[in-house]
Amino acid sequence: MGLYEAVTWSFVSASMAQPFFVGTEESWHQLHLCNPLSKELGVLRPSILPSLVSVAQHHQKYGLAFQPIFEIGPRFLGLSPESQDEHLAALWPIKKSESWLPNDPNGSKEWSFYDIKAMVDRCITALGITHTSWIRASQPWYHPGRSGQLVHQKDGKDMVLATIGQLHPRLNMPFFGAELYLNAWQRP
């Protein structure tokens, strides 16, 4: 779908990780490393999104065009093996780069929630997953009116497969994000 793959550390700074963490104070402290590589890599990431945001901010700092990127890797919610899961995250800048508009110079110059949703829906369709529906997302790092989560009915319960949306304005990070919770998916 035209996204570039990124490979980043599983560690981020506490200031980057905190907005993407939902849990107890005890589990937050468990994510802090005793002997970090540096202050900027002192916390196990609770989501891959902070790692991708760091890549985007690095590009912007040096005036480089930022293309949509994704990464597949672990996220951490605590120290036990059950609190680590496989995760796919992707990040899009709000404004499209020129390379995304070669055939349609009059097309939209910005990504929208529906562009991101269409890409996630293509993944779902390719995997043959059915009985899904989109509902409002509840994660605090997403804009409340520009986010959603994909749920799958299994045994009478809603299982969250993916979450997408524009990052919350209070984060001052002008990006769209998508997170696919791969451990929740039934693999074909």
Side-chain angles (χ1 to χ4, degrees):
M1 287 186 267
L3 280 74
Y4 289 93
E5 184 173 12
V7 179
T8 63
W9 294 99
S10 292
F11 320 113
V12 294
S13 69
S15 63
M16 286 295 288
Q18 183 65 51
F20 296 90
F21 178 77
V22 176
T24 65
E25 189 171 331
E26 178 185 348
S27 58
W28 170 247
H29 289 296
Q30 289 177 355
L31 298 181
H32 287 72
L33 301 174
C34 294
N35 189 16
L37 296 170
S38 72
K39 185 176 145 185
E40 290 78 28
L41 300 172
V43 177
L44 290 168
R45 64 184 178 197
S47 167
I48 297 176
L49 285 176
S51 298
L52 299 180
V53 168
S54 293
V55 170
Q57 289 174 337
H58 178 80
H59 278 74
Q60 289 175 339
K61 178 180 175 182
Y62 292 102
L64 303 171
F66 174 67
Q67 300 295 329
I69 58 176
F70 76 96
E71 181 176 356
I72 299 172
R75 72 174 181 150
F76 304 88
L77 304 175
L79 290 182
S80 68
E82 300 81 37
S83 62
Q84 174 184 340
D85 62 4
E86 192 176 9
H87 195 72
L88 182 150
L91 193 74
W92 292 261
I94 297 293
K95 300 223 181 273
K96 290 181 181 177
S97 67
E98 291 300 317
S99 63
W100 280 90
L101 305 169
N103 297 328
D104 188 9
N106 297 326
S108 173
K109 303 277 189 232
E110 293 188 349
W111 291 100
S112 74
F113 171 83
Y114 296 103
D115 293 329
I116 311 311
K117 180 182 174 292
M119 288 185 177
V120 171
D121 281 338
R122 282 179 59 194
C123 289
I124 302 301
T125 302
L127 290 171
I129 297 173
T130 58
H131 307 297
T132 60
S133 59
W134 287 96
I135 62 173
R136 185 176 298 260
S138 59
Q139 290 79 354
W141 53 89
Y142 286 117
H143 189 295
R146 297 181 188 163
S147 60
Q149 55 190 18
L150 181 69
V151 295
H152 174 70
Q153 282 283 328
K154 184 176 182 179
D155 301 327
K157 297 180 183 175
D158 283 343
M159 182 183 310
V160 178
L161 301 178
T163 308
I164 63 171
Q166 184 175 347
L167 297 185
H168 201 288
R170 71 175 157 68
L171 298 177
N172 199 22
M173 300 174 185
F175 303 106
F176 280 99
E179 299 170 281
L180 283 68
Y181 309 108
L182 300 179
N183 287 1
W185 296 38
Q186 281 195 330
R187 307 292 169 90

